[in-house]
Amino acid sequence: MQELFKKAWEKIKEAKNIVLVSHINPDGDALGSSLSLYPILKRMGKNVKVFNVTKPLPQYLDFLPNFDKVTDKLPKNVDLMISFDCGSFDRLGIDEKPPFLINIDHHISNTNYGDINIIDPKAASTSQVVFEMLKTNGVEIDEDSATCIYTALVTDTGSFQYESVNEKVFQTAAELVKCGAKPDFVAKMLFQRDRLSRLRLLAKAYDTIELCCEGKVAFVEVTKEMMEITGAIKDDTDTIVNSVRAIASVEVACMLREDDDGIKISLRSKNYADVSKVAVKYGGGGHIRAAGATIKDEFDFNKVKNMLKEDLKEIVKVEE
Amino acid sequence: MQELFKKAWEKIKEAKNIVLVSHINPDGDALGSSLSLYPILKRMGKNVKVFNVTKPLPQYLDFLPNFDKVTDKLPKNVDLMISFDCGSFDRLGIDEKPPFLINIDHHISNTNYGDINIIDPKAASTSQVVFEMLKTNGVEIDEDSATCIYTALVTDTGSFQYESVNEKVFQTAAELVKCGAKPDFVAKMLFQRDRLSRLRLLAKAYDTIELCCEGKVAFVEVTKEMMEITGAIKDDTDTIVNSVRAIASVEVACMLREDDDGIKISLRSKNYADVSKVAVKYGGGGHIRAAGATIKDEFDFNKVKNMLKEDLKEIVKVEE
């Protein structure tokens, strides 16, 4: 890894026109990692742009330093592209490969689409890989860069709560605070700017929670009517399924959301159940602990629930 | 501080019968800190008890190693008492002072009621003071002890989100993980054992959210009827006011709860308003960012809200 870090940095030093890119619908790690290099490369006198194909970008990340520099217009005459947190080239929303591409990521599924691929599946976030690269090359991390790297670390570990959190994660956080990252500021920006519409939607949705399979499975519903009455937007539904999974007895939580084209199901498991299997069965996909699918042209919540109950009963291993 | 740590440890080494105590209605820091010394003192061959006057103890902390050892019967023939996280002697629920008392805390308001007082207001948790004491004296921290110290750190920093979180907090967390603390296990125990009754109560309560003072003040109501319908317990109301404060525009959130003796008000501020002033006015108390009071024999929510609006208007500095 040390060798790759050095090789990549040599390439960066040589380049003049650099673009930093991340995956469509970026999360904190994608945007944070790409923005973390912006002030550093600027300082080095590079002509640097930050590109993301998504428009609008998620508002909750608007506090990241240089957030306003992110453009959805891919710059021309690029010598070097660096991609962050993106498992495959097609998720960048870019048609043509650049002259040279450095691919920095922490997803084990990464397709190694770069000319240099720096993939560390043990890292808790892509930003941690960036941090290691900067440290290895003795690059000074300024406050803006530290804030971006730290935010990415917080969002990708659920505030230091996921399995990926190890000794190194906390050491990295300590060093970032030393560089100027402010944990309470980042936390306030991420978690203290909630929407009233979201709380109003939770009020409606939580009223529909239904437990089955000895309490191991929970369903929660979000109808179009609820969205309309509360003035909620789709982003407001994001954390509902996680909150329902947090019920003590629950192994799998399932949110059913009425969309234009059918019912979208979002599945989350807590300790052992593989929900990706169920999602794949209905034409969706995802990971073991988080997966989803849309059941097209179907709008009957009870029908879908009864169908899913059979599948979920299997994966939570309840014998009846 | 180093000298105090050494002096305290000498006293601990001399003692035979030791009791570890913490404040009434203990939180994660109080119980975690007191339990963290239990395996260490046992290993040293001490006769050690852990006392807390509260019964029952908060269930969400039942995963702390040796939680079942905590007793509400104060042992007799104690040589040494060590108190944790407790600002004044009367909050221990103990009538008589012991022969010798070591008082370990991080509250600036601590009354120095011990024979040795180790108070570090800069520490993010009392458990961090304990950790420093152990390190200074070269004491090995085992997995059980590390889990207790880590849990206390997590609960007292809101998962590394409060102003108290600095470089040292993360360095401490890193060292605790090295000693065997498991961040994902602790997070699951603390945050993934929610009650359905609580979510059902949130559904009712969130429906009552009312904003005023240009969105800077938010009220939320919890009635006895809501508690009965949802089967919720008083603990289920704990986080409601924090969630309401998290709305972007809100500086002060106020929960009104219908109790047997009147309406309990819980106040939380986000950035600048001093809510303790308002609580004191109604015979209660607390801190700048979190305070409360009970308005006795009053059961009219609207009357109380109108009264509070006048007070809160002042502290959020809205001129009308």
Side-chain angles (χ1 to χ4, degrees):
Chain A
M1 203 58 102
Q2 299 288 310
E3 279 316 302
L4 278 175
F5 286 151
K6 283 179 191 162
K7 214 172 128 189
W9 202 252
E10 282 310 311
K11 202 73 204 171
I12 289 170
K13 282 202 284 192
E14 283 166 19
K16 177 78 193 111
N17 301 302
I18 304 178
V19 62
L20 311 171
V21 302
S22 56
H23 63 75
I24 189 166
N25 299 326
D27 55 12
D29 195 16
L31 271 190
S33 293
S34 56
L35 281 169
S36 73
L37 281 193
Y38 182 84
I40 290 170
L41 299 186
K42 271 278 169 195
R43 210 169 60 213
M44 289 164 73
K46 307 294 178 190
N47 177 19
V48 49
K49 306 276 181 204
V50 187
F51 168 85
N52 191 290
V53 72
T54 313
K55 200 177 173 181
L57 290 169
Q59 213 192 328
Y60 75 97
L61 295 169
D62 65 2
F63 70 95
L64 288 173
N66 301 303
F67 178 86
D68 58 331
K69 303 288 192 313
V70 184
T71 172
D72 62 341
K73 309 261 176 294
L74 193 67
K76 295 207 159 82
N77 304 320
V78 166
D79 318 328
L80 173 63
M81 178 180 286
I82 313 177
S83 71
F84 299 87
D85 202 45
C86 186
S88 58
F89 187 76
D90 60 296
R91 294 196 68 225
L92 293 170
I94 294 168
D95 296 330
E96 253 177 84
K97 283 222 178 178
F100 202 91
L101 175 57
I102 300 174
N103 165 18
I104 304 179
D105 191 18
H106 72 132
H107 293 98
I108 199 163
S109 56
N110 193 291
T111 61
N112 291 302
Y113 54 83
D115 299 297
I116 297 177
N117 300 289
I118 312 182
I119 318 300
D120 183 1
K122 283 194 206 120
S125 66
T126 294
S127 79
Q128 202 176 3
V129 186
V130 174
F131 177 78
E132 295 297 329
M133 179 177 76
L134 295 173
K135 257 186 70 173
T136 301
N137 290 290
V139 181
E140 193 203 320
I141 298 173
D142 58 40
E143 186 177 324
D144 283 355
S145 180
T147 300
C148 289
I149 298 173
Y150 179 81
T151 301
L153 196 58
V154 170
T155 53
D156 247 35
T157 60
S159 264
F160 306 98
Q161 295 184 11
Y162 297 165
E163 277 172 53
S164 57
V165 178
N166 52 27
E167 194 186 340
K168 200 175 191 175
V169 167
F170 285 124
Q171 282 166 347
T172 304
E175 293 189 56
L176 291 167
V177 171
K178 199 174 175 180
C179 295
K182 305 213 166 22
D184 62 318
F185 167 76
V186 171
K188 265 185 188 161
M189 290 298 112
L190 289 174
F191 309 120
Q192 298 286 320
R193 299 195 295 165
D194 207 348
R195 287 175 298 271
L196 178 58
S197 61
R198 199 185 76 88
L199 292 182
R200 293 223 185 283
L201 179 67
L202 295 186
K204 305 291 175 212
Y206 287 168
D207 246 351
T208 70
I209 296 171
E210 183 196 331
L211 297 186
C212 65
C213 302
E214 299 173 0
K216 289 181 182 168
V217 172
F219 289 103
V220 59
E221 301 175 10
V222 175
T223 64
K224 276 196 174 180
E225 196 191 353
M226 288 180 196
M227 305 282 287
E228 278 156 25
I229 291 172
T230 59
I233 55 173
K234 276 193 181 172
D235 285 355
D236 290 332
T237 66
D238 278 353
T239 64
I240 293 176
V241 68
N242 292 333
S243 302
V244 173
R245 176 182 53 184
I247 296 170
S249 67
V250 171
E251 170 60 23
V252 174
C254 175
M255 181 178 79
L256 298 95
R257 189 178 75 193
E258 183 187 354
D259 279 359
D260 287 334
D261 55 346
I263 292 177
K264 179 173 163 39
I265 56 169
S266 300
L267 295 155
R268 297 288 182 280
S269 66
K270 192 185 276 173
N271 291 311
Y272 59 85
D274 180 357
V275 291
S276 70
K277 280 193 220 165
V278 179
V280 165
K281 182 176 167 185
Y282 295 102
H287 307 278
I288 297 175
R289 300 275 172 270
T294 297
I295 303 181
K296 293 263 167 80
D297 303 318
E298 177 60 66
F299 299 94
D300 184 338
F301 276 54
N302 285 329
K303 198 172 146 191
V304 173
K305 274 203 246 184
N306 286 331
M307 209 161 70
L308 286 169
K309 263 180 210 173
E310 294 305 311
D311 302 308
L312 297 176
K313 199 158 70 176
E314 290 302 315
I315 63 163
V316 298
K317 295 178 198 123
V318 177
E319 284 168 23
E320 276 177 21
Chain B
M1 205 57 104
Q2 298 289 309
E3 280 314 302
L4 278 175
F5 286 151
K6 283 179 191 163
K7 214 172 128 190
W9 202 251
E10 282 310 311
K11 204 71 204 173
I12 289 170
K13 281 202 282 191
E14 284 166 20
K16 177 78 194 110
N17 301 302
I18 304 177
V19 62
L20 310 170
V21 302
S22 56
H23 62 75
I24 188 165
N25 299 324
D27 55 12
D29 194 16
L31 271 190
S33 294
S34 56
L35 281 168
S36 72
L37 280 194
Y38 183 84
I40 290 170
L41 298 186
K42 271 277 170 198
R43 210 169 61 213
M44 288 164 75
K46 307 294 178 190
N47 176 21
V48 49
K49 306 278 180 203
V50 187
F51 168 84
N52 191 289
V53 72
T54 314
K55 200 178 173 179
L57 291 169
Q59 212 192 329
Y60 74 97
L61 294 169
D62 65 3
F63 68 95
L64 288 173
N66 301 303
F67 178 86
D68 59 332
K69 304 287 192 315
V70 184
T71 172
D72 61 341
K73 308 262 177 295
L74 192 68
K76 294 205 160 78
N77 304 319
V78 165
D79 318 328
L80 172 63
M81 178 180 284
I82 312 177
S83 71
F84 299 87
D85 201 44
C86 186
S88 57
F89 188 77
D90 60 296
R91 293 196 68 223
L92 293 170
I94 295 169
D95 297 329
E96 253 178 84
K97 283 220 178 180
F100 203 91
L101 174 57
I102 300 174
N103 164 18
I104 305 180
D105 191 18
H106 73 131
H107 293 98
I108 199 163
S109 56
N110 193 291
T111 60
N112 292 302
Y113 53 83
D115 298 297
I116 297 177
N117 299 289
I118 312 182
I119 317 301
D120 183 0
K122 282 193 205 122
S125 66
T126 294
S127 79
Q128 202 177 0
V129 186
V130 174
F131 177 79
E132 294 298 329
M133 179 177 74
L134 295 172
K135 257 188 70 176
T136 300
N137 290 291
V139 181
E140 193 204 319
I141 299 173
D142 58 41
E143 187 178 323
D144 283 355
S145 180
T147 300
C148 289
I149 298 173
Y150 179 81
T151 301
L153 197 59
V154 169
T155 53
D156 246 36
T157 60
S159 263
F160 307 99
Q161 294 183 12
Y162 297 167
E163 277 170 52
S164 56
V165 178
N166 52 27
E167 194 186 342
K168 200 174 192 177
V169 166
F170 285 124
Q171 282 166 347
T172 304
E175 293 189 54
L176 291 168
V177 172
K178 200 175 177 180
C179 295
K182 304 213 167 23
D184 62 319
F185 167 75
V186 171
K188 265 185 188 161
M189 290 297 113
L190 288 175
F191 309 120
Q192 298 286 319
R193 298 193 296 165
D194 208 349
R195 288 175 297 271
L196 176 59
S197 60
R198 199 185 76 87
L199 292 181
R200 292 224 186 280
L201 178 67
L202 295 186
K204 305 291 175 211
Y206 287 168
D207 246 350
T208 70
I209 296 172
E210 183 196 330
L211 297 186
C212 65
C213 303
E214 298 174 1
K216 290 182 182 168
V217 172
F219 289 102
V220 59
E221 301 174 11
V222 175
T223 64
K224 277 195 172 180
E225 196 192 354
M226 290 180 193
M227 303 284 285
E228 279 157 24
I229 292 172
T230 58
I233 56 174
K234 276 193 181 171
D235 285 355
D236 290 332
T237 66
D238 278 353
T239 65
I240 293 176
V241 68
N242 293 332
S243 302
V244 173
R245 178 183 52 185
I247 295 171
S249 67
V250 171
E251 170 60 23
V252 175
C254 175
M255 180 177 80
L256 298 95
R257 189 179 75 192
E258 183 187 353
D259 279 0
D260 286 335
D261 56 346
I263 292 177
K264 181 174 161 36
I265 57 170
S266 300
L267 295 155
R268 296 288 183 279
S269 66
K270 193 184 276 170
N271 292 312
Y272 58 85
D274 180 358
V275 290
S276 70
K277 279 192 222 165
V278 179
V280 166
K281 181 175 168 186
Y282 295 101
H287 307 278
I288 297 174
R289 298 278 171 267
T294 296
I295 303 182
K296 294 260 167 83
D297 304 317
E298 177 61 66
F299 299 94
D300 183 339
F301 275 52
N302 285 330
K303 197 172 147 191
V304 173
K305 274 204 248 184
N306 285 331
M307 209 162 69
L308 287 169
K309 262 180 210 171
E310 293 306 310
D311 302 309
L312 297 176
K313 200 159 71 176
E314 290 303 313
I315 64 163
V316 299
K317 294 176 201 131
V318 177
E319 285 167 21
E320 275 178 22

